[in-house]
């Protein structure tokens, strides 16, 4: 599920001005999904997932609150977990991340497209460090462009296992900010793969409860 994350600056809701996808469309990670407008800016939101749009939750001109689900994306990881590893999407990410982190459920939180032609931002503050526990919608870091300064919130609940940038670093759109161990894998002993205890559980469809459908919330702008 792709939800509307906290946009910062005290904004609690936005107006949905345009859809670039409809139910049944295929989307790729970083494809434009919709345009939203607050009283401060108008931005286009990009998908953190690759898959098929199975449900659109709002219509054009709807007012969408922070945390609301925008679309459901069927990533197909539950039916073919072995073919998904190349892309670090929310659930299958476990497999490719396994070698670098001892966990079967490591998700990568990337910097979404901020719109307005902005290709990179400066990281001004971290609110978390490696080893910290974060909840969905917790503030993770603050970034600044030449147009605005915003705080980005986590789409995952879990443990921060890696921080990829330092304060004052310039971060490009699409870059990974942090790795979060969500603890999706619960049965390390049942899996044959080589990486140590927990990563082994990666291929055993950690996304089973959701049936391969991810919700896309409004990414940070």
């Amino acid at each position: 599920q792709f939800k509307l994350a906290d946009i910062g600056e005290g904004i609690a809701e936005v107006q949905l001005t345009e859809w670039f996808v409809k139910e049944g469309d295929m989307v790729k990670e970083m494809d434009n999904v919709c345009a939203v407008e607050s009283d401060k800016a108008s931005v286009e939101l990009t998908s953190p997932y690759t898959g098929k749009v199975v449900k659109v939750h709002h219509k054009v001109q709807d007012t969408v609150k922070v945390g609301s689900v925008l679309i459901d994306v069927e990533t197909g990881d539950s039916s073919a977990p072995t073919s998904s590893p190349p892309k670090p999407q929310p659930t299958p990410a476990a497999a490719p991340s396994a070698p670098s982190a001892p966990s079967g459920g490591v998700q990568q939180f990337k910097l979404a497209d901020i719109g307005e032609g902005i290709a990179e931002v400066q990281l001004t503050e971290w609110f978390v460090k490696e080893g910290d526990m974060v909840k969905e919608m917790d503030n993770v870091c603050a970034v600044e462009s030449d147009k605005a300064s915003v705080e980005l919130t986590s789409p995952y609940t879990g443990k921060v296992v890696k921080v990829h940038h330092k304060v004052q670093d310039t971060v490009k759109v699409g870059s990974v900010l942090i790795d979060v161990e969500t603890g999706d894998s619960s049965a390390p002993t049942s899996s044959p793969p080589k990486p140590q205890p927990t990563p082994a559980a990666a291929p055993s469809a950690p996304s089973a409860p959701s049936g391969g459908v991810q919700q896309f919330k409004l990414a940070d702008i």
Side-chain angles (χ1 to χ4, degrees):
Q1 288 191 324
F2 176 26
K3 299 183 187 173
L4 173 58
D6 186 0
I7 306 174
E9 301 185 15
I11 297 169
E13 58 189 26
V14 294
Q15 186 176 43
L16 203 152
T17 54
E18 186 177 356
W19 278 111
F20 303 117
V21 299
K22 60 184 183 301
E23 291 178 8
D25 281 1
M26 299 301 294
V27 293
K28 293 202 296 274
E29 189 176 326
M30 303 307 293
D31 276 359
N32 282 343
V33 170
C34 62
V36 299
E37 197 170 81
S38 72
D39 55 354
K40 302 188 191 290
S42 172
V43 294
E44 294 175 355
L45 306 182
T46 58
S47 173
Y49 310 116
T50 296
K52 180 181 178 183
V53 178
V54 291
K55 185 166 176 58
V56 170
H57 288 265
H58 299 279
K59 300 191 297 292
V60 170
Q61 301 306 320
D62 275 5
T63 297
V64 185
K65 290 186 182 300
V66 164
S68 297
V69 176
L70 294 169
I71 58 173
D72 290 350
V73 179
E74 184 180 338
T75 57
D77 37 316
S78 59
S79 54
T82 48
S83 64
S84 332
K87 267 200 195 288
Q89 292 153 356
T91 23
S97 312
S100 59
S103 156
V106 175
Q107 315 295 347
Q108 292 188 320
F109 174 32
K110 298 183 182 179
L111 175 62
D113 188 358
I114 305 172
E116 301 185 14
I118 296 169
E120 57 187 26
V121 295
Q122 186 177 44
L123 203 153
T124 55
E125 186 177 358
W126 279 111
F127 303 116
V128 298
K129 60 185 184 300
E130 291 179 8
D132 281 0
M133 298 302 293
V134 293
K135 292 201 297 270
E136 189 177 322
M137 305 304 291
D138 276 0
N139 282 343
V140 170
C141 61
V143 299
E144 198 170 82
S145 70
D146 54 354
K147 302 188 192 291
S149 172
V150 294
E151 294 175 355
L152 307 182
T153 58
S154 174
Y156 309 115
T157 296
K159 179 181 177 183
V160 178
V161 291
K162 185 166 177 59
V163 170
H164 287 265
H165 299 278
K166 299 190 297 293
V167 170
Q168 301 307 317
D169 275 4
T170 297
V171 184
K172 292 186 182 300
V173 164
S175 297
V176 177
L177 294 170
I178 57 173
D179 291 348
V180 179
E181 182 184 330
T182 58
D184 286 351
S185 61
S186 50
T189 50
S190 63
S191 40
K194 356 168 187 0
Q196 295 120 340
T198 10
S204 60
S207 62
S210 64
V213 175
Q214 310 297 340
Q215 288 195 320
F216 177 25
K217 305 179 187 177
L218 177 55
D220 283 291
I221 56 174

